[in-house]
Each structure stands twice: as structure tokens, then as C-alpha cells.
Amino acid sequence: KILSLIRNDENRKTEFKQTLSFCIRQKQQKDYIEDEIYKTICSFLNTDGGTLLIGVHDDGHITGINDEVEKLYKGKVDNFKKHYKNKLKVRIGEQFYPLVKGKIINIDGKLIYRINCESLKLKKSIKGCYLDNKTFWVRTDPAKDKLEGPKLVEYINTHFN
């Protein structure tokens, strides 16, 4: 199933990222890389749901998260998953745990972290997901857009009511 998602390329419901927070060029953790992960999760939740594959280059090449796990998380996948979950809790919120499911997939020795996000449209009690309780992101094809002001109000009124 993962290979099928990759073959179909990035789109409204699929996004690829090489790492969770590891800058491949500088060989260190960078917050701006992590920001993109959580913006993408918010955008999937606020739109039609989707799948984020961490360990896949934009061109569809499977790079894996093995180096990141080794260098930042002492070679332990559990440390990687704990870091991801702790950031999810702080940046997005525990109330979204049931809608965001992560799983490690091994393809030919390369680890991919698959994150499936459900859409909030079906959850009448939740009126949107905000990153850091500040910014609202939606998924477009194949990107994400920040909504503010009247566009944000209109989107929430039409998609969550």
C-alpha cells in the first residue's frame, strides 16, 4: 500500500517528507523542518484527511528515517516516536490523538513513518485544528495554505457547520 501511495505522487491527500526534524545537509535537528510536519498534519485534519510519509523524498525516492533515528534518537525508533508524539501533544493537542495514527513501515531496510490523519469534517464537536493554538492550515493540491481573517471564518463556517 505504501508503494502505491508513493507511485501516485504527492497530492491533496498524500505528502512526502524526508525527515521529521533532521536537516540532511547540516546533519542536525532543525525546528523549521519539524514545523512543516505539524502544519501538514493540521492541514489534513482541517481538510479531507490524508497520509504523511516521513522518509520519502518529494520525488518519491525512499530515503528512510534510519539516519535520523541513529543520529538524533540513539538508534531507537521508540525515542523517535516519543519525540513525535510529545510534539504532537504540545503543538496540535491530545484531543486529536484518535484522528492521527502513526506507524513505522520497513521497506527493504529503510524505515518510513506513516501518519494517517482523518478529516475533522465528521467530528461535529471540533471546529478546526490550530497549530500552536494560533495558525490554521488547509490542504490544497499538493500543498498547504494558511488561512486568516475573513477567509478563515468563511472556511470554518462552510466546512464545520
Side-chain angles (χ1 to χ4, degrees):
K1 186 172 179 174
I2 295 292
L3 294 176
S4 175
L5 283 172
I6 293 170
R7 276 192 297 276
N8 288 326
D9 207 7
E10 292 182 310
N11 56 53
R12 186 174 174 86
K13 296 190 82 168
T14 306
E15 176 73 22
F16 306 151
K17 296 291 182 193
Q18 277 189 275
T19 67
L20 175 65
S21 60
F22 186 65
C23 178
I24 293 168
R25 287 185 203 96
Q26 297 177 1
K27 305 285 186 218
Q28 59 183 295
Q29 190 169 6
K30 292 290 184 180
D31 290 339
Y32 75 90
I33 295 172
E34 208 166 75
D35 288 346
E36 293 302 312
I37 297 295
Y38 295 101
K39 287 176 188 177
T40 299
I41 292 170
C42 281
S43 72
F44 281 144
L45 290 167
N46 287 329
T47 314
D48 297 317
T51 301
L52 172 60
L53 298 177
I54 303 174
V56 179
H57 190 276
D58 284 342
D59 66 8
H61 175 74
I62 298 172
T63 57
I65 58 168
N66 305 53
D67 285 347
E68 179 173 14
V69 169
E70 190 62 38
K71 289 179 174 53
L72 298 183
Y73 305 102
K74 300 177 183 175
K76 297 182 181 179
V77 171
D78 276 353
N79 291 344
F80 173 93
K81 292 181 350 184
K82 285 177 192 173
H83 176 82
Y84 158 77
K85 183 182 169 282
N86 289 337
K87 290 287 185 156
L88 183 70
K89 178 181 179 179
V90 170
R91 307 228 32 217
I92 293 177
E94 294 173 272
Q95 69 271 31
F96 297 102
Y97 285 172
L99 304 173
V100 181
K101 306 278 193 257
K103 182 176 182 178
I104 293 286
I105 308 290
N106 186 329
I107 298 180
D108 298 327
K110 294 182 180 176
L111 302 178
I112 295 174
Y113 196 52
R114 181 188 71 205
I115 302 170
N116 288 333
C117 303
E118 291 181 38
S119 174
L120 289 173
K121 288 181 184 179
L122 305 174
K123 309 292 181 191
K124 299 298 181 195
S125 62
I126 302 174
K127 301 293 183 192
C129 173
Y130 294 81
L131 183 63
D132 301 322
N133 283 320
K134 295 176 186 169
T135 56
F136 189 92
W137 297 87
V138 295
R139 186 74 180 167
T140 55
D141 192 7
K144 59 194 160 306
D145 290 325
K146 180 180 173 182
L147 294 185
E148 300 176 295
K151 286 184 180 182
L152 172 59
V153 173
E154 181 182 337
Y155 186 89
I156 288 173
N157 285 338
T158 56
H159 286 82
F160 296 110
N161 287 333

